[in-house]
Amino acid sequence: LSTVRWEGRMNRKVLKGRSVYFSGDHNSQGVQSLLDLLQHYQWERIMFLTGIGIEKDSDEMLALLHAVPRSEIHLTQTPFRGKSQDDYGAAAQSVASFHSSPTEALTFCLNRATEKDMIVVTG
């Protein structure tokens, strides 16, 4: 089992010298599973880059991410049925940033991150 790879779950890529993990957690149960996995990682600051679908419970998902120590949440609008900034309502006020483009959001996080930080793209 130690050699099993679950595509879409904490896939690591190095971009601009920074580790970026891609994890397709698209509901609250998936985010909870992500939090369980994160217990095996270390970081100084963790940046969650997430876009949440219109039909998903963004309040619960964001509450789970906010509970992670030394975390920042950066929202984006995903191109397929993703919530706009207005769709997030008050929750959009409690995040570090909102970007209409996922590429713009990732670039923003990469430019902020240090080698001790962790970037997790999820949602």
Side-chain angles (χ1 to χ4, degrees), residues 28-52:
S28 298
Q29 294 81 11
V31 171
Q32 185 57 60
S33 176
L34 169 64
L35 300 185
D36 294 341
L37 288 172
L38 287 176
Q39 294 178 34
H40 303 284
Y41 294 83
Q42 294 183 354
W43 62 85
E44 190 167 293
R45 172 180 51 181
I46 187 167
M47 295 179 208
F48 292 110
L49 170 54
T50 188
I52 301 174

PDB file of all heavy atoms in Angstrom, residues 28-52:
ATOM      1  N   SER A  28     -17.194  18.932   1.819  1.00  0.00           N
ATOM      2  CA  SER A  28     -16.731  19.013   3.217  1.00  0.00           C
ATOM      3  C   SER A  28     -16.028  17.740   3.663  1.00  0.00           C
ATOM      4  O   SER A  28     -15.029  17.798   4.390  1.00  0.00           O
ATOM      5  CB  SER A  28     -17.913  19.312   4.150  1.00  0.00           C
ATOM      6  OG  SER A  28     -18.474  20.562   3.803  1.00  0.00           O
ATOM      7  N   GLN A  29     -16.518  16.592   3.220  1.00  0.00           N
ATOM      8  CA  GLN A  29     -15.876  15.326   3.593  1.00  0.00           C
ATOM      9  C   GLN A  29     -14.474  15.248   2.991  1.00  0.00           C
ATOM     10  O   GLN A  29     -13.535  14.769   3.640  1.00  0.00           O
ATOM     11  CB  GLN A  29     -16.717  14.127   3.135  1.00  0.00           C
ATOM     12  CG  GLN A  29     -18.048  13.995   3.827  1.00  0.00           C
ATOM     13  CD  GLN A  29     -19.124  14.919   3.239  1.00  0.00           C
ATOM     14  OE1 GLN A  29     -18.957  15.522   2.181  1.00  0.00           O
ATOM     15  NE2 GLN A  29     -20.228  15.049   3.945  1.00  0.00           N
ATOM     16  N   GLY A  30     -14.316  15.709   1.774  1.00  0.00           N
ATOM     17  CA  GLY A  30     -13.003  15.739   1.142  1.00  0.00           C
ATOM     18  C   GLY A  30     -12.047  16.668   1.859  1.00  0.00           C
ATOM     19  O   GLY A  30     -10.872  16.351   2.043  1.00  0.00           O
ATOM     20  N   VAL A  31     -12.541  17.835   2.277  1.00  0.00           N
ATOM     21  CA  VAL A  31     -11.699  18.776   3.014  1.00  0.00           C
ATOM     22  C   VAL A  31     -11.287  18.167   4.358  1.00  0.00           C
ATOM     23  O   VAL A  31     -10.134  18.293   4.770  1.00  0.00           O
ATOM     24  CB  VAL A  31     -12.405  20.137   3.205  1.00  0.00           C
ATOM     25  CG1 VAL A  31     -11.628  21.035   4.150  1.00  0.00           C
ATOM     26  CG2 VAL A  31     -12.596  20.818   1.853  1.00  0.00           C
ATOM     27  N   GLN A  32     -12.200  17.480   5.023  1.00  0.00           N
ATOM     28  CA  GLN A  32     -11.837  16.827   6.286  1.00  0.00           C
ATOM     29  C   GLN A  32     -10.763  15.773   6.048  1.00  0.00           C
ATOM     30  O   GLN A  32      -9.813  15.658   6.829  1.00  0.00           O
ATOM     31  CB  GLN A  32     -13.063  16.191   6.947  1.00  0.00           C
ATOM     32  CG  GLN A  32     -12.773  15.599   8.320  1.00  0.00           C
ATOM     33  CD  GLN A  32     -12.205  16.625   9.288  1.00  0.00           C
ATOM     34  OE1 GLN A  32     -12.837  17.633   9.580  1.00  0.00           O
ATOM     35  NE2 GLN A  32     -11.002  16.387   9.773  1.00  0.00           N
ATOM     36  N   SER A  33     -10.864  15.023   4.963  1.00  0.00           N
ATOM     37  CA  SER A  33      -9.838  14.046   4.613  1.00  0.00           C
ATOM     38  C   SER A  33      -8.497  14.738   4.355  1.00  0.00           C
ATOM     39  O   SER A  33      -7.445  14.249   4.768  1.00  0.00           O
ATOM     40  CB  SER A  33     -10.279  13.253   3.385  1.00  0.00           C
ATOM     41  OG  SER A  33      -9.277  12.371   2.981  1.00  0.00           O
ATOM     42  N   LEU A  34      -8.535  15.882   3.683  1.00  0.00           N
ATOM     43  CA  LEU A  34      -7.325  16.669   3.450  1.00  0.00           C
ATOM     44  C   LEU A  34      -6.694  17.067   4.777  1.00  0.00           C
ATOM     45  O   LEU A  34      -5.478  16.948   4.963  1.00  0.00           O
ATOM     46  CB  LEU A  34      -7.656  17.916   2.624  1.00  0.00           C
ATOM     47  CG  LEU A  34      -6.549  18.970   2.505  1.00  0.00           C
ATOM     48  CD1 LEU A  34      -5.338  18.419   1.769  1.00  0.00           C
ATOM     49  CD2 LEU A  34      -7.096  20.210   1.817  1.00  0.00           C
ATOM     50  N   LEU A  35      -7.499  17.530   5.713  1.00  0.00           N
ATOM     51  CA  LEU A  35      -6.971  17.937   7.015  1.00  0.00           C
ATOM     52  C   LEU A  35      -6.319  16.760   7.733  1.00  0.00           C
ATOM     53  O   LEU A  35      -5.288  16.932   8.401  1.00  0.00           O
ATOM     54  CB  LEU A  35      -8.075  18.548   7.873  1.00  0.00           C
ATOM     55  CG  LEU A  35      -8.761  19.794   7.298  1.00  0.00           C
ATOM     56  CD1 LEU A  35      -9.739  20.379   8.293  1.00  0.00           C
ATOM     57  CD2 LEU A  35      -7.760  20.831   6.843  1.00  0.00           C
ATOM     58  N   ASP A  36      -6.884  15.578   7.579  1.00  0.00           N
ATOM     59  CA  ASP A  36      -6.272  14.387   8.164  1.00  0.00           C
ATOM     60  C   ASP A  36      -4.896  14.122   7.541  1.00  0.00           C
ATOM     61  O   ASP A  36      -3.942  13.804   8.250  1.00  0.00           O
ATOM     62  CB  ASP A  36      -7.176  13.160   7.977  1.00  0.00           C
ATOM     63  CG  ASP A  36      -8.484  13.258   8.755  1.00  0.00           C
ATOM     64  OD1 ASP A  36      -8.578  14.069   9.709  1.00  0.00           O
ATOM     65  OD2 ASP A  36      -9.428  12.529   8.396  1.00  0.00           O
ATOM     66  N   LEU A  37      -4.793  14.278   6.232  1.00  0.00           N
ATOM     67  CA  LEU A  37      -3.514  14.086   5.551  1.00  0.00           C
ATOM     68  C   LEU A  37      -2.482  15.128   5.960  1.00  0.00           C
ATOM     69  O   LEU A  37      -1.290  14.828   6.071  1.00  0.00           O
ATOM     70  CB  LEU A  37      -3.703  14.146   4.036  1.00  0.00           C
ATOM     71  CG  LEU A  37      -4.391  12.975   3.375  1.00  0.00           C
ATOM     72  CD1 LEU A  37      -4.670  13.290   1.905  1.00  0.00           C
ATOM     73  CD2 LEU A  37      -3.551  11.719   3.484  1.00  0.00           C
ATOM     74  N   LEU A  38      -2.924  16.359   6.183  1.00  0.00           N
ATOM     75  CA  LEU A  38      -1.998  17.446   6.508  1.00  0.00           C
ATOM     76  C   LEU A  38      -1.281  17.228   7.836  1.00  0.00           C
ATOM     77  O   LEU A  38      -0.245  17.855   8.080  1.00  0.00           O
ATOM     78  CB  LEU A  38      -2.735  18.787   6.522  1.00  0.00           C
ATOM     79  CG  LEU A  38      -3.124  19.325   5.154  1.00  0.00           C
ATOM     80  CD1 LEU A  38      -3.927  20.619   5.293  1.00  0.00           C
ATOM     81  CD2 LEU A  38      -1.901  19.536   4.270  1.00  0.00           C
ATOM     82  N   GLN A  39      -1.773  16.347   8.660  1.00  0.00           N
ATOM     83  CA  GLN A  39      -1.093  16.039   9.926  1.00  0.00           C
ATOM     84  C   GLN A  39       0.298  15.451   9.677  1.00  0.00           C
ATOM     85  O   GLN A  39       1.130  15.430  10.580  1.00  0.00           O
ATOM     86  CB  GLN A  39      -1.933  15.078  10.749  1.00  0.00           C
ATOM     87  CG  GLN A  39      -3.241  15.671  11.219  1.00  0.00           C
ATOM     88  CD  GLN A  39      -4.073  14.672  11.988  1.00  0.00           C
ATOM     89  OE1 GLN A  39      -3.553  13.826  12.701  1.00  0.00           O
ATOM     90  NE2 GLN A  39      -5.380  14.763  11.835  1.00  0.00           N
ATOM     91  N   HIS A  40       0.557  14.982   8.471  1.00  0.00           N
ATOM     92  CA  HIS A  40       1.831  14.357   8.131  1.00  0.00           C
ATOM     93  C   HIS A  40       2.797  15.323   7.431  1.00  0.00           C
ATOM     94  O   HIS A  40       3.846  14.899   6.947  1.00  0.00           O
ATOM     95  CB  HIS A  40       1.587  13.137   7.240  1.00  0.00           C
ATOM     96  CG  HIS A  40       0.683  12.133   7.872  1.00  0.00           C
ATOM     97  ND1 HIS A  40       1.086  11.286   8.872  1.00  0.00           N
ATOM     98  CD2 HIS A  40      -0.637  11.886   7.678  1.00  0.00           C
ATOM     99  CE1 HIS A  40       0.065  10.529   9.248  1.00  0.00           C
ATOM    100  NE2 HIS A  40      -0.990  10.878   8.541  1.00  0.00           N
ATOM    101  N   TYR A  41       2.449  16.606   7.372  1.00  0.00           N
ATOM    102  CA  TYR A  41       3.258  17.619   6.716  1.00  0.00           C
ATOM    103  C   TYR A  41       3.618  18.708   7.717  1.00  0.00           C
ATOM    104  O   TYR A  41       2.952  18.881   8.732  1.00  0.00           O
ATOM    105  CB  TYR A  41       2.486  18.253   5.547  1.00  0.00           C
ATOM    106  CG  TYR A  41       2.197  17.294   4.418  1.00  0.00           C
ATOM    107  CD1 TYR A  41       1.106  16.425   4.464  1.00  0.00           C
ATOM    108  CD2 TYR A  41       3.003  17.268   3.287  1.00  0.00           C
ATOM    109  CE1 TYR A  41       0.840  15.548   3.423  1.00  0.00           C
ATOM    110  CE2 TYR A  41       2.734  16.401   2.239  1.00  0.00           C
ATOM    111  CZ  TYR A  41       1.655  15.545   2.317  1.00  0.00           C
ATOM    112  OH  TYR A  41       1.394  14.686   1.295  1.00  0.00           O
ATOM    113  N   GLN A  42       4.664  19.455   7.374  1.00  0.00           N
ATOM    114  CA  GLN A  42       5.058  20.602   8.199  1.00  0.00           C
ATOM    115  C   GLN A  42       5.108  21.841   7.322  1.00  0.00           C
ATOM    116  O   GLN A  42       5.438  21.762   6.135  1.00  0.00           O
ATOM    117  CB  GLN A  42       6.427  20.354   8.824  1.00  0.00           C
ATOM    118  CG  GLN A  42       6.431  19.234   9.825  1.00  0.00           C
ATOM    119  CD  GLN A  42       7.803  19.076  10.464  1.00  0.00           C
ATOM    120  OE1 GLN A  42       8.765  19.724  10.094  1.00  0.00           O
ATOM    121  NE2 GLN A  42       7.889  18.200  11.445  1.00  0.00           N
ATOM    122  N   TRP A  43       4.796  22.981   7.932  1.00  0.00           N
ATOM    123  CA  TRP A  43       4.840  24.249   7.221  1.00  0.00           C
ATOM    124  C   TRP A  43       4.948  25.374   8.236  1.00  0.00           C
ATOM    125  O   TRP A  43       4.600  25.233   9.396  1.00  0.00           O
ATOM    126  CB  TRP A  43       3.590  24.459   6.367  1.00  0.00           C
ATOM    127  CG  TRP A  43       2.310  24.509   7.174  1.00  0.00           C
ATOM    128  CD1 TRP A  43       1.766  25.599   7.813  1.00  0.00           C
ATOM    129  CD2 TRP A  43       1.443  23.416   7.466  1.00  0.00           C
ATOM    130  NE1 TRP A  43       0.616  25.256   8.460  1.00  0.00           N
ATOM    131  CE2 TRP A  43       0.387  23.910   8.272  1.00  0.00           C
ATOM    132  CE3 TRP A  43       1.440  22.067   7.129  1.00  0.00           C
ATOM    133  CZ2 TRP A  43      -0.649  23.114   8.741  1.00  0.00           C
ATOM    134  CZ3 TRP A  43       0.404  21.275   7.592  1.00  0.00           C
ATOM    135  CH2 TRP A  43      -0.618  21.802   8.384  1.00  0.00           C
ATOM    136  N   GLU A  44       5.470  26.493   7.748  1.00  0.00           N
ATOM    137  CA  GLU A  44       5.457  27.708   8.549  1.00  0.00           C
ATOM    138  C   GLU A  44       4.117  28.418   8.349  1.00  0.00           C
ATOM    139  O   GLU A  44       3.511  28.892   9.288  1.00  0.00           O
ATOM    140  CB  GLU A  44       6.617  28.611   8.147  1.00  0.00           C
ATOM    141  CG  GLU A  44       6.807  29.778   9.089  1.00  0.00           C
ATOM    142  CD  GLU A  44       8.125  30.454   8.844  1.00  0.00           C
ATOM    143  OE1 GLU A  44       9.173  29.842   9.096  1.00  0.00           O
ATOM    144  OE2 GLU A  44       8.091  31.629   8.390  1.00  0.00           O
ATOM    145  N   ARG A  45       3.704  28.479   7.089  1.00  0.00           N
ATOM    146  CA  ARG A  45       2.401  29.048   6.736  1.00  0.00           C
ATOM    147  C   ARG A  45       1.843  28.176   5.625  1.00  0.00           C
ATOM    148  O   ARG A  45       2.576  27.756   4.728  1.00  0.00           O
ATOM    149  CB  ARG A  45       2.574  30.485   6.255  1.00  0.00           C
ATOM    150  CG  ARG A  45       1.308  31.105   5.694  1.00  0.00           C
ATOM    151  CD  ARG A  45       1.527  32.518   5.222  1.00  0.00           C
ATOM    152  NE  ARG A  45       2.677  32.598   4.317  1.00  0.00           N
ATOM    153  CZ  ARG A  45       3.107  33.726   3.757  1.00  0.00           C
ATOM    154  NH1 ARG A  45       2.520  34.861   4.022  1.00  0.00           N
ATOM    155  NH2 ARG A  45       4.149  33.723   2.948  1.00  0.00           N
ATOM    156  N   ILE A  46       0.559  27.922   5.681  1.00  0.00           N
ATOM    157  CA  ILE A  46      -0.085  27.151   4.617  1.00  0.00           C
ATOM    158  C   ILE A  46      -1.087  28.060   3.912  1.00  0.00           C
ATOM    159  O   ILE A  46      -1.856  28.778   4.554  1.00  0.00           O
ATOM    160  CB  ILE A  46      -0.747  25.862   5.159  1.00  0.00           C
ATOM    161  CG1 ILE A  46      -1.263  24.998   4.013  1.00  0.00           C
ATOM    162  CG2 ILE A  46      -1.837  26.171   6.170  1.00  0.00           C
ATOM    163  CD1 ILE A  46      -1.646  23.587   4.435  1.00  0.00           C
ATOM    164  N   MET A  47      -0.999  28.058   2.600  1.00  0.00           N
ATOM    165  CA  MET A  47      -1.911  28.854   1.782  1.00  0.00           C
ATOM    166  C   MET A  47      -2.836  27.893   1.051  1.00  0.00           C
ATOM    167  O   MET A  47      -2.373  27.051   0.281  1.00  0.00           O
ATOM    168  CB  MET A  47      -1.134  29.685   0.766  1.00  0.00           C
ATOM    169  CG  MET A  47      -0.264  30.720   1.381  1.00  0.00           C
ATOM    170  SD  MET A  47       0.622  31.597   0.073  1.00  0.00           S
ATOM    171  CE  MET A  47       2.068  32.069   0.975  1.00  0.00           C
ATOM    172  N   PHE A  48      -4.110  28.029   1.329  1.00  0.00           N
ATOM    173  CA  PHE A  48      -5.109  27.248   0.610  1.00  0.00           C
ATOM    174  C   PHE A  48      -5.621  28.089  -0.543  1.00  0.00           C
ATOM    175  O   PHE A  48      -6.122  29.196  -0.332  1.00  0.00           O
ATOM    176  CB  PHE A  48      -6.283  26.875   1.518  1.00  0.00           C
ATOM    177  CG  PHE A  48      -5.927  25.905   2.595  1.00  0.00           C
ATOM    178  CD1 PHE A  48      -5.888  26.308   3.915  1.00  0.00           C
ATOM    179  CD2 PHE A  48      -5.632  24.578   2.299  1.00  0.00           C
ATOM    180  CE1 PHE A  48      -5.572  25.425   4.932  1.00  0.00           C
ATOM    181  CE2 PHE A  48      -5.313  23.684   3.302  1.00  0.00           C
ATOM    182  CZ  PHE A  48      -5.279  24.105   4.625  1.00  0.00           C
ATOM    183  N   LEU A  49      -5.472  27.586  -1.740  1.00  0.00           N
ATOM    184  CA  LEU A  49      -6.044  28.222  -2.914  1.00  0.00           C
ATOM    185  C   LEU A  49      -7.238  27.375  -3.300  1.00  0.00           C
ATOM    186  O   LEU A  49      -7.091  26.197  -3.626  1.00  0.00           O
ATOM    187  CB  LEU A  49      -5.018  28.271  -4.048  1.00  0.00           C
ATOM    188  CG  LEU A  49      -5.520  28.685  -5.423  1.00  0.00           C
ATOM    189  CD1 LEU A  49      -6.248  30.020  -5.375  1.00  0.00           C
ATOM    190  CD2 LEU A  49      -4.378  28.729  -6.398  1.00  0.00           C
ATOM    191  N   THR A  50      -8.416  27.948  -3.199  1.00  0.00           N
ATOM    192  CA  THR A  50      -9.623  27.150  -3.426  1.00  0.00           C
ATOM    193  C   THR A  50     -10.668  27.909  -4.218  1.00  0.00           C
ATOM    194  O   THR A  50     -10.800  29.119  -4.100  1.00  0.00           O
ATOM    195  CB  THR A  50     -10.211  26.653  -2.083  1.00  0.00           C
ATOM    196  OG1 THR A  50     -11.270  25.745  -2.339  1.00  0.00           O
ATOM    197  CG2 THR A  50     -10.702  27.782  -1.213  1.00  0.00           C
ATOM    198  N   GLY A  51     -11.383  27.154  -5.012  1.00  0.00           N
ATOM    199  CA  GLY A  51     -12.579  27.611  -5.689  1.00  0.00           C
ATOM    200  C   GLY A  51     -13.650  26.570  -5.414  1.00  0.00           C
ATOM    201  O   GLY A  51     -13.378  25.367  -5.469  1.00  0.00           O
ATOM    202  N   ILE A  52     -14.822  27.009  -5.083  1.00  0.00           N
ATOM    203  CA  ILE A  52     -15.872  26.093  -4.648  1.00  0.00           C
ATOM    204  C   ILE A  52     -17.060  26.207  -5.601  1.00  0.00           C
ATOM    205  O   ILE A  52     -17.462  27.304  -5.981  1.00  0.00           O
ATOM    206  CB  ILE A  52     -16.289  26.392  -3.192  1.00  0.00           C
ATOM    207  CG1 ILE A  52     -15.069  26.240  -2.275  1.00  0.00           C
ATOM    208  CG2 ILE A  52     -17.425  25.469  -2.743  1.00  0.00           C
ATOM    209  CD1 ILE A  52     -15.291  26.650  -0.830  1.00  0.00           C
TER     210      ILE A  52
END
